[in-house]
Amino acid sequence: MSSEARKILVTSALPYANGPIHIGHLVEYIQTDIWARFQKLQGNRCVYVCADDAHGTPIMLRAQAEGITPEELIARVKTEHERDFAGFHIGFDNYHSTHSEENRHFAEYIYRKLKEGGHIAVRTIEQAYDPEAKMFLPDRFIKGECPKCGAKDQYGDNCEVCGATYDPTELKQPYSVVSGAQPVLKESEQYFFKVGDFADLLKQWTRAGHIQTEIANKMDEWLEEGLRDWDISRNAPYFGFEIPGAPGKYFYVWMDAPIGYLASFRNWCARSGEDFDAWWKPDSDAELYHFIGKDIARFHTLFFPAMLHGAGFRMPTAVYCHGFLTVDGQKMSKSRGTFISARTYLQHLNPEYLRYYYAAKLGPGIDDIDLNLEDFQARVNADLVGKVVNIASRTAGFIVKKFGGRLSDRLGDDSLHREGIATAERVAEAYERREYGRAMREIMTLADRINQYIDEQEPWVRIKDENQHPSVQDSCTVGLNGFRQLIILLKPVLPALAEQAEAFLQLSDQRWDDLREPLVNHEIQRFRPLMTRIEKEKIDAMIEASKEANAQEPAKASAPADGSASGIEPIAEQIDFEDFIKVDLRVARIVRAEAVEKADKLLRLTLDIGSEQRQVFAGIKSAYRPEDLEGRITVMVANLAPRKMRFGVSEGMVLAAGPGGKDIYLLSPDEGATPGMRIK
């Protein structure tokens, strides 16, 4: 660590103001909060800002359906978001909204700078228009057949089966997910950011250590294909900011959403008297870090850095991507009760249980993490209650009852204290590198060592002999000093527990370097339980409450994430019975499943259909791990003509239902079905 304090600005991705926070979202905010708290504990000047992402068509449509204004909707959701974040001790220094005057200012400023630099193009293009809803349709509000591979029900911007990207006008058999009507093409003048002007800069920046290697490799694919102009405008009706000098045209939500980082920080500056430019000018000595999900890496590692550079702002120091959350090895499920909202969790369990468990699982990469509920219970009980808190409960009573609550005036044996200082150096390095799992292992190793020392000293035995009382006071003082060090090391993860422990030890707000100085000749309070064990009944009750909450959740009037206005897609146009009977559906056993290299959504399946084995590529990677599929019985279209894909030939199609993403469900026949059996 440098002796000079760093200036650090930290952000998390902006949650969309169209629904509640859930435990999947919290992976990111807990990860970011731990890092920001660690920097502050180190004495660095760290500011953590965020905001609600409050613009776009989904919010407009939901507000219309609820009979309220978009402003009323986003104000209500913002209050709910801030409440839930506070419940999980997410310590934002400022939480704002993209529907703010600060964000309008920066969106217009950046746009003007890009335009002045010749990086904005205006072209008349054909766009999909819903004749029933009387509105132009964003890409994700159109579905149809992929123009590359023919897969049905694909979004208007990319195919989840073959991975192709395209314009929505290229879709075959398109339909609007707002009304179900077939879109018509209408000419419309649109505004484009010529991100390709910055291709050389981005190639250099993405390979200069600012992003993780896995993300840099993925961005290489975009850069090698050539960056197309990015459409940053949307037609009215639209909830957002109107583009200056372009009546009826609005900034696309993804254009002004990341600008919300600047807006929230400007809002903080106005309250704190800080100089905004000193943090955002290109030669600033401040550091800028974005924590985001790997699914939005393209916006944060290509488009946003180019926008910042083009407008004369500094580019990020680093963008840190993380993976997704599974629960008990599977995607979060509303029917199983594992799609758990932050509010439901808080009604049943201590938020710091989850903070610790996520920390124990998180590393610096983009791998998904799993919340295994049985392991969650066991690890929290063993580590936090059985190891850390147990140290104080085993020693404080002797100090209070026999020594007036006062610790010894010296550490007779300082070996554990020195071990704690050495551990702190390794833990600090791990926190800085976002290797939280390694940090937790180091901390629990130290906790084991302290508990072992107490076992060896046996104060409960020695207290019976008055001649041994001084050694009891000394050993309990050593134990409580170790406990104090553990609390400081865990403070970024468990701020509430740290606050309670500081009150018990009668200490002021502890900083990282405080753990170097021993706590001696100091009076403590009587110990009270700082954390209780997780009981399985609590977890079961949370799951049941989640099931009930999801069952009672009203259908959203706006298009949800899958692009469907009601959650159920419109029925496709009718076909004749003669057409249907041509489809040969066969029972298939998945013999092998493996990820396809350089494909985000595809799995390569080897299917046994009795008489032969087939290779099929399926866009289900977001919902299933390959090892969970092998041996499973499913259904495939056996007489589908083979199609050549970039990764090989697909010799059929497996059947699945669901809106996409993590919500994909492979069809399975009843028990007793065997490979090759035809479904009639």
Side-chain angles (χ1 to χ4, degrees), residues 23-24 26-27 30 325 354-362 369:
I23 60 171
L26 286 166
V27 170
I30 289 174
L325 178 73
L354 194 67
R355 287 180 65 102
Y356 175 73
Y357 192 77
Y358 282 176
K361 305 279 273 189
L362 278 165
I369 68 170

Side-chain angles (χ1 to χ4, degrees), residues 264-559:
S264 186
F265 186 71
R266 167 61 71 85
N267 184 257
W268 176 81
C269 287
R271 292 189 296 102
S272 63
E274 187 69 24
D275 180 5
F276 175 91
D277 292 335
W279 293 68
W280 282 93
K281 62 185 179 181
D283 60 349
S284 169
D285 62 349
E287 303 168 41
L288 170 61
Y289 299 93
H290 300 306
F291 286 74
I292 61 166
K294 60 186 177 182
D295 56 326
I296 56 174
R298 180 166 53 108
F299 294 101
H300 284 79
T301 62
L302 296 180
F303 299 154
F304 188 47
M307 286 165 51
L308 289 173
H309 182 80
F313 292 109
R314 53 94 41 79
M315 295 169 71
T317 307
V319 178
Y320 296 137
C321 297
H322 62 81
F324 304 127
L325 178 73
T326 58
V327 180
D328 286 339
Q330 301 181 69
K331 63 186 180 303
M332 293 166 57
S333 164
K334 292 187 176 182
S335 62
R336 289 194 303 271
T338 57
F339 193 96
I340 304 166
S341 72
R343 182 56 23 193
T344 299
Y345 178 99
L346 290 169
Q347 290 167 349
H348 293 86
L349 293 171
N350 183 334
E352 297 207 314
Y353 296 157
L354 194 67
R355 287 180 65 102
Y356 175 73
Y357 192 77
Y358 282 176
K361 305 279 273 189
L362 278 165
I366 62 171
D367 294 336
D368 297 347
I369 68 170
D370 183 53
L371 169 59
N372 181 290
L373 294 173
E374 185 176 338
D375 180 55
F376 168 63
Q377 178 187 358
R379 187 174 299 205
V380 168
N381 290 346
D383 290 357
L384 298 185
V385 182
K387 294 181 182 180
V388 177
V389 173
N390 193 43
I391 293 169
S393 68
R394 300 176 78 191
T395 56
F398 298 113
I399 294 293
V400 171
K401 292 176 183 177
K402 296 296 183 180
F403 309 104
R406 185 161 291 275
L407 301 177
S408 297
D409 58 5
R410 63 185 178 84
L411 284 184
D413 180 358
D414 69 348
S415 59
L416 267 182
H417 184 74
R418 286 185 281 107
E419 189 174 332
I421 294 173
T423 298
E425 293 179 0
R426 296 191 296 272
V427 171
E429 180 185 32
Y431 274 137
E432 180 70 39
R433 295 174 180 273
R434 306 175 328 283
E435 296 174 1
Y436 300 161
R438 179 164 73 90
M440 297 307 103
R441 290 191 296 274
E442 291 277 4
I443 293 169
M444 291 307 145
T445 298
L446 178 62
D448 285 335
R449 180 70 187 87
I450 297 168
N451 276 296
Q452 181 185 356
Y453 169 83
I454 296 169
D455 290 340
E456 294 167 351
Q457 295 297 310
E458 296 183 313
W460 52 88
V461 174
R462 294 186 181 189
I463 199 67
K464 297 174 184 178
D465 182 351
E466 288 192 9
N467 294 325
Q468 294 289 320
H469 282 192
S471 70
V472 171
Q473 186 182 23
D474 287 348
S475 61
C476 289
T477 296
V478 170
L480 284 168
N481 266 269
F483 171 73
R484 175 199 180 213
Q485 287 182 320
L486 291 171
I487 288 298
I488 294 175
L489 296 177
L490 284 167
K491 194 170 182 178
V493 181
L494 307 174
L497 177 66
E499 185 176 351
Q500 295 175 61
E502 288 167 353
F504 150 63
L505 294 172
Q506 298 199 110
L507 294 169
S508 58
D509 187 18
Q510 295 287 280
R511 292 294 183 232
W512 195 265
D513 284 344
D514 289 334
L515 57 74
R516 293 181 173 274
E517 293 298 320
L519 190 65
V520 294
N521 195 24
H522 178 85
E523 190 172 328
I524 65 171
Q525 291 188 347
R526 182 168 66 88
F527 177 80
R528 294 179 176 81
L530 298 174
M531 184 172 281
T532 58
R533 293 171 57 84
I534 301 177
E535 302 298 336
K536 187 174 184 302
E537 292 74 16
K538 289 277 192 181
I539 294 177
D540 292 341
M542 177 181 68
I543 295 299
E544 289 304 313
S546 184
K547 288 180 182 177
E548 293 176 10
N550 292 326
Q552 295 170 4
E553 186 180 85
K556 289 182 180 177
S558 67

Side-chain angles (χ1 to χ4, degrees), residues 106-177:
F106 283 114
E108 293 180 353
Y109 177 86
I110 289 174
Y111 169 76
R112 284 196 298 268
K113 285 293 184 181
L114 294 175
K115 187 176 181 181
E116 290 169 6
H119 306 303
I120 299 295
V122 183
R123 295 199 299 271
T124 297
I125 62 173
E126 286 190 324
Q127 285 188 292
Y129 182 82
D130 187 328
E132 293 187 14
K134 295 187 176 3
M135 60 181 289
F136 285 94
L137 295 169
D139 297 351
R140 301 292 283 187
F141 280 68
I142 311 167
K143 282 192 171 183
E145 295 180 10
C146 171
K148 310 292 185 184
C149 73
K152 296 181 181 299
D153 297 321
Q154 298 305 305
Y155 291 117
D157 53 359
N158 72 282
C159 176
E160 296 188 339
V161 175
C162 71
T165 58
Y166 41 75
D167 291 325
T169 53
E170 298 178 71
L171 277 176
K172 299 175 183 177
Q173 301 297 318
Y175 62 86
S176 164
V177 298

Side-chain angles (χ1 to χ4, degrees), residues 79-253:
T79 298
E80 294 169 356
H81 284 179
E82 290 183 288
R83 174 202 64 190
D84 291 343
F85 283 136
F88 277 90
H89 311 305
I90 308 300
F92 299 120
D93 292 286
N94 198 67
Y95 195 84
H96 206 36
S97 170
T98 59
H99 193 65
S100 63
E101 285 308 308
E102 294 95 341
N103 208 44
R104 183 192 299 274
H105 163 77
F106 283 114
E108 293 180 353
Y109 177 86
I110 289 174
Y111 169 76
R112 284 196 298 268
K113 285 293 184 181
L114 294 175
K115 187 176 181 181
E116 290 169 6
H119 306 303
I120 299 295
V122 183
R123 295 199 299 271
T124 297
I125 62 173
E126 286 190 324
Q127 285 188 292
Y129 182 82
D130 187 328
E132 293 187 14
K134 295 187 176 3
M135 60 181 289
F136 285 94
L137 295 169
D139 297 351
R140 301 292 283 187
F141 280 68
I142 311 167
K143 282 192 171 183
E145 295 180 10
C146 171
K148 310 292 185 184
C149 73
K152 296 181 181 299
D153 297 321
Q154 298 305 305
Y155 291 117
D157 53 359
N158 72 282
C159 176
E160 296 188 339
V161 175
C162 71
T165 58
Y166 41 75
D167 291 325
T169 53
E170 298 178 71
L171 277 176
K172 299 175 183 177
Q173 301 297 318
Y175 62 86
S176 164
V177 298
V178 178
S179 69
Q182 181 174 341
V184 297
L185 291 178
K186 286 185 66 174
E187 285 192 345
S188 175
E189 188 176 73
Q190 296 299 328
Y191 292 71
F192 294 82
F193 171 39
K194 297 194 290 184
V195 66
D197 291 353
F198 302 90
D200 291 340
L201 169 75
L202 293 171
K203 286 177 183 177
Q204 180 181 2
W205 185 82
T206 56
R207 284 302 182 185
H210 299 289
I211 62 180
Q212 293 128 306
T213 301
E214 306 98 314
I215 300 299
N217 291 341
K218 184 62 182 175
M219 293 309 107
D220 272 353
E221 296 179 22
W222 288 85
L223 291 164
E224 288 171 7
E225 290 178 3
L227 297 174
R228 294 189 295 179
D229 292 354
W230 181 39
D231 188 350
I232 60 168
S233 62
R234 292 296 184 266
N235 295 298
Y238 193 81
F239 182 59
F241 294 140
E242 197 167 41
I243 297 175
K249 306 293 179 183
Y250 291 79
F251 287 124
Y252 174 39
V253 61

Side-chain angles (χ1 to χ4, degrees), residues 585-590 607-609 631-636 654-656 665-680:
L585 300 179
R586 298 279 175 159
V587 175
R589 182 187 302 279
I590 302 175
L607 304 177
D608 176 12
I609 57 172
R632 178 167 175 166
I633 297 292
T634 188
V635 178
M636 74 169 294
V654 291
L655 300 187
Y665 308 93
L666 272 182
L667 300 192
S668 298
D670 290 341
E671 188 176 349
T674 59
M677 185 179 291
R678 185 170 187 182
I679 297 175
K680 299 181 178 181

